[in-house]
Amino acid sequence: MRLIATRLVRQLVLVPVVAVASYFLMAALPLTTESDNKRQVSPELAASYQRDLGIGEPLGFLRPWQKLFAGERLGTSAQGITDDELLQKLSGSVGVGLVALPLALAWAVGFALLRTRWRRGRFAVLGDVVPAIAFGTPVFIPALLLAPAVVERGHLLPELCAAVVIAIWPGTFLGTLVGDALETELSRDYVRTALSKGLDPGTVLRRHVLPNVWPALLDAVTPVATALLAGSFAAERVFGLPYFGQLYVLAVLNKQVAVVVVSTTTFATVLVVVSLTVELLRMLVDPRAREARA
């Protein structure tokens, strides 16, 4: 329990760091208008913008949170949002992510098993071709191909397609890692010993090999969750989903510092929760992890 508490404190320290860093990075951006020559806005408007965001004040980075907890609209124009709207958009993106994550994990395990089988046959080249295609294809390309057929139909079909699209790259990445770990385990002496004693290959795989592969899968879940987050921004934009990803992109483009700070911090908190959950799962499925942390 003490280990978990220590891990929690270390992860939570990152959240305010992200909040402060995102504030100053956004505040440093020049405030320009959407004109052809990108002229600077009037000094009066720039001064009003800086006062509203607390730029230049000693504790100005707390201004977005003061506005949030006071129930004010985040942002310096009608493009801002309230805390209720922020929660609604976050719920939509988290829902898409919760669908995408098991899809990515299922594809990872399936691809790892196929890749292991391909290595022993004439389709061995596919084990390298499929990752190359997946890694070299931006997420918005399959999204653009699917969008015309699903956007107008509704009924959660755009959300499902967005989840499928953003799960392809992380699933392939995970599948490559798990496939390598699977091949390593299959070459060990205990596997050959079990097979020589007449055990069914499927039984050996389920009872002995896969339990040693799960830690490699769990170790990559946190970066995969980050990849799902980045992919959701593009997919939500293409499929026209009015969720968190589209809000974040528009907030950055429109210099909505308060929205960017709160959004970035919120997603950093989500990733911390994912990381801690993965850590707990790893300690449950891997006795060696428990012994190392004892």
Side-chain angles (χ1 to χ4, degrees), residues 3-158:
L3 174 64
I4 297 175
T6 303
R7 183 76 174 178
L8 177 62
V9 171
R10 290 178 180 176
Q11 293 285 343
L12 289 179
V13 167
L14 298 176
V15 175
V17 173
V18 170
V20 174
S22 62
Y23 174 85
F24 285 109
L25 287 174
M26 285 299 300
L29 294 177
L31 181 63
T32 59
T33 58
E34 286 295 329
S35 58
D36 294 335
N37 56 3
K38 296 290 183 182
R39 294 176 300 175
Q40 292 288 336
V41 299
S42 65
E44 294 79 10
L45 182 58
S48 175
Y49 176 87
Q50 291 179 346
R51 284 195 304 271
D52 186 65
L53 295 174
I55 297 176
E57 299 179 6
L59 298 177
F61 60 88
L62 296 176
R63 182 64 60 85
W65 300 102
Q66 294 174 350
K67 297 178 69 174
L68 178 69
F69 295 128
E72 300 178 19
R73 181 172 289 273
L74 297 177
T76 55
S77 69
Q79 295 171 337
I81 62 169
T82 64
D83 53 349
D84 291 336
E85 293 170 341
L86 179 66
L87 181 61
Q88 183 179 7
K89 291 179 180 294
L90 176 63
S91 300
S93 289
V94 170
V96 173
L98 289 177
V99 175
L101 184 58
L103 289 176
L105 294 176
W107 167 238
V109 175
F111 177 68
L113 294 174
L114 286 174
R115 191 167 180 257
T116 302
R117 178 171 295 184
W118 288 340
R119 289 292 189 188
R120 303 175 182 179
R122 55 184 177 179
F123 298 108
V125 66
L126 291 178
D128 297 323
V129 171
V130 172
I133 295 175
F135 298 157
T137 304
V139 68
F140 64 84
I141 291 181
L144 288 172
L145 294 176
L146 288 174
V150 302
V151 169
E152 298 297 332
R153 297 185 180 184
H155 303 294
L156 297 181
L157 189 58

Side-chain angles (χ1 to χ4, degrees), residues 191-215:
V191 174
R192 288 191 290 268
T193 301
L195 292 175
S196 66
K197 292 182 177 181
L199 289 179
D200 180 70
T203 302
V204 174
L205 181 67
R206 290 191 305 271
R207 294 184 179 179
H208 302 288
V209 176
L210 288 181
N212 290 324
V213 173
W214 295 139

Side-chain angles (χ1 to χ4, degrees), residues 89-106 158-168 170 221 224-233 235-236 241 243-245 267 270-271 274:
K89 291 179 180 294
L90 176 63
S91 300
S93 289
V94 170
V96 173
L98 289 177
V99 175
L101 184 58
L103 289 176
L105 294 176
E159 285 84 352
L160 179 59
C161 289
V164 171
V165 167
I166 65 177
I168 294 175
V221 167
V224 162
T226 306
L228 291 175
L229 165 62
S232 69
F233 290 173
E236 289 180 18
L241 300 177
Y243 296 146
F244 205 79
F267 257 123
V270 171
L271 292 177
V274 172

